[in-house]
């Protein structure tokens, strides 16, 4: 956040404000002091540079009948995926390179 704020542009300030608001809500909802996940920037970064994220082919389903899990996304890693499996999940992220790409992108935007 400090690196983004240091860009000192209207866009970087918007990003800092947005991420701060999102993280505050995440922390309040989850009773944690952790940073909120940034799924959308990760998805865009993967399209730009797939080496940032390690993926694994695995079946992904949405739980529709669980008493405690209805609506949750479920990925089953217990068995090898079927040959017709067309879904992949991220299993590892190069966090430093993600933020480097993100901040570099912000620097390139016009003020």
């Amino acid at each position: 956040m400090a690196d983004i704020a240091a860009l000192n542009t209207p866009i970087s300030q918007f990003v800092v404000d947005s991420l701060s608001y999102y993280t505050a809500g995440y922390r309040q909802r989850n009773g944690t002091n952790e940073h909120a996940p940034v799924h959308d920037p990760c998805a865009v970064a993967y399209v730009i540079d797939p080496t940032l994220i390690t993926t694994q082919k695995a079946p992904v389903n949405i739980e529709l009948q669980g008493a405690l899990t209805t609506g949750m996304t479920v990925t089953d890693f217990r068995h090898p995926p079927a040959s017709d499996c067309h879904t992949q999940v991220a299993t590892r992220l190069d966090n430093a390179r993600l933020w480097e790409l993100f901040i570099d992108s912000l620097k390139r935007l016009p003020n």
Side-chain angles (χ1 to χ4, degrees):
M1 294 287 276
D3 290 343
I4 297 170
L7 297 176
N8 199 30
T9 66
I11 292 172
S12 67
Q13 186 58 53
F14 173 78
V15 170
V16 167
D17 292 346
S18 297
L19 288 175
S20 296
Y21 178 80
Y22 177 59
T23 297
Y26 177 82
R27 288 175 174 172
Q28 183 178 8
R29 273 188 314 283
N30 295 296
T32 182
N33 199 29
E34 295 178 8
H35 293 284
V38 288
H39 299 108
D40 293 345
C42 286
V44 173
Y46 182 73
V47 172
I48 294 168
D49 182 357
T51 68
L52 289 170
I53 298 174
T54 303
T55 63
Q56 180 177 336
K57 190 179 273 195
V60 177
N61 294 287
I62 307 301
E63 175 60 57
L64 300 176
Q65 298 175 5
L68 301 175
T69 58
T70 300
M72 287 187 167
T73 303
V74 179
T75 304
D76 188 354
F77 292 105
R78 296 175 296 175
H79 308 287
S83 60
D84 63 346
C85 180
H86 63 276
T87 51
Q88 297 181 71
V89 294
T91 57
R92 181 165 291 148
L93 167 68
D94 187 331
N95 196 51
R97 284 183 52 222
L98 169 77
W99 288 108
E100 195 177 288
L101 175 67
F102 187 84
I103 292 168
D104 185 56
S105 297
L106 290 175
K107 288 178 182 175
R108 295 170 185 259
L109 293 173
N111 292 329

